[in-house]
Structure formats: structure tokens, C-alpha cells
Amino acid sequence: MEVFTLIHAVKTGETLNQIAKDYRTPLATIIRANPGINPNIIYPGQNIVIPGLPSPQTIPYQIDVSINNRWLRLFKDGVLQKQYSIAVGRILHSTPVGSYVIINKAPNPGGPFGSMWMSLSKQHYGIHGTNDPSSIGKAVSKGCIRMHNKDVNELASIVPIGTAVSIHP
């Protein structure tokens, strides 16, 4: 059986230690999965195997987030399935632009995170519900993507771990 694992392309300025934190994977585990890697010398464009996560190419779903339009779109095999209204990061706490994957899900995380938390492959960022539904459609978060609880629950029930998330202005 072929195993599909996630491959992370190193971006300028990244360190192996930060990549490990972003994917919530122990540094030693990443080093073991990448024989011959020098943990002190990685370079932009270098491919790093992230063990334990499926490759987004094996998943039919993709998430596209527009910060300026304040929507999250769910695609299956390139076809739009649904669009959701979201809240995004406020000034000084902008939502990070880039390509990420969902690396875990936590139902009922409590507090301001509403009924569901889905971690992105960028430390401290995720897609989550809210205890303040009036905030949806605004730039009010600390950089996360905030959704109505019913919407984030629906989304989490559809997309698997490893789903690609593209965030753009």
C-alpha cells in the first residue's frame, strides 16, 4: 500500500524548528523522517517530509479564504460546494496569507473559539467557531478565521485532516 505523506516546501526565513512547531510535530520526528537532512541548514524550496499527515493532493477538498471579501469557500475536486461568511484578523493581528493545511480538529475548545477549532499548519492560527456571532463579517480576530458555530461544525464534518487551505487578500 502506498503511503501519501505531506511534503512541506521550505519558505524563505523558515527554520526546521519553526516548521516542527507549525505542524505540531516533534523536531526529532521530522529529522527521522528526513534522513540526511542537516537541521541547521535548510534552504527555500527544500522539500521536508512531515510524517503522520496525508498529502493534500490525495484529498478532494480545498478551502479558499479571501481576507478582503471575508468569505471561506469550500471546493471539492475544484467545484465550489459552499461559501461561508467569516471574520478575519484586525489591524496588527492580520490573518496570515499563504498556503496551509488543516493539521488537527478539536471540538468544544471553549472560550472565544466556539464549538470547533481546526489548527492550521502555522503555529497559533486556525479556523474556529465563535462565542460572538455578531463579529462575523468583520476584521476583529487575532489572525484566525472565525466562523458561525453551525458553519464551522459543518465544515469540520466534511473536510479531513490534511485539507489544503489557501489564504489570500
Side-chain angles (χ1 to χ4, degrees):
M1 181 174 120
E2 189 173 0
V3 176
F4 296 96
T5 56
L6 188 132
I7 305 294
H8 174 85
V10 176
K11 297 173 194 82
T12 301
E14 283 187 317
T15 65
L16 202 55
N17 194 43
Q18 187 59 52
I19 292 167
K21 287 178 182 176
D22 285 344
Y23 287 97
R24 314 326 180 266
T25 302
L27 180 59
T29 301
I30 290 179
I31 292 170
R32 272 195 307 278
N34 293 274
I37 193 171
N38 179 338
N40 300 313
I41 304 173
I42 62 170
Y43 52 88
Q46 182 177 4
N47 287 331
I48 307 290
V49 172
I50 309 296
L53 289 173
S55 169
Q57 287 78 19
T58 66
I59 296 169
Y61 295 99
Q62 304 84 37
I63 293 172
D64 182 61
V65 175
S66 171
I67 295 169
N68 294 344
N69 294 316
R70 299 197 181 119
W71 50 244
L72 179 152
R73 289 180 173 166
L74 173 64
F75 291 86
K76 181 177 184 185
D77 296 320
V79 177
L80 180 63
Q81 302 296 301
K82 192 143 188 190
Q83 179 172 306
Y84 301 94
S85 293
I86 59 169
V88 295
R90 62 183 183 260
I91 294 174
L92 302 179
H93 294 282
S94 59
T95 300
V97 170
S99 297
Y100 309 100
V101 295
I102 293 173
I103 61 165
N104 65 38
K105 300 177 190 179
N108 302 310
F113 306 114
S115 59
M116 175 62 68
W117 168 270
M118 293 186 285
S119 296
L120 295 179
S121 56
K122 182 162 181 69
Q123 190 179 28
H124 307 301
Y125 292 93
I127 300 170
H128 64 81
T130 182
N131 62 358
D132 180 10
S134 69
S135 68
I136 302 302
K138 301 174 184 169
V140 293
S141 79
K142 288 190 176 179
C144 289
I145 296 156
R146 190 184 292 182
M147 301 176 71
H148 286 289
N149 287 325
K150 68 177 178 44
D151 291 346
V152 77
N153 291 341
E154 179 179 83
L155 183 64
S157 75
I158 296 169
V159 299
I161 301 298
T163 297
V165 179
S166 173
I167 303 174
H168 53 87

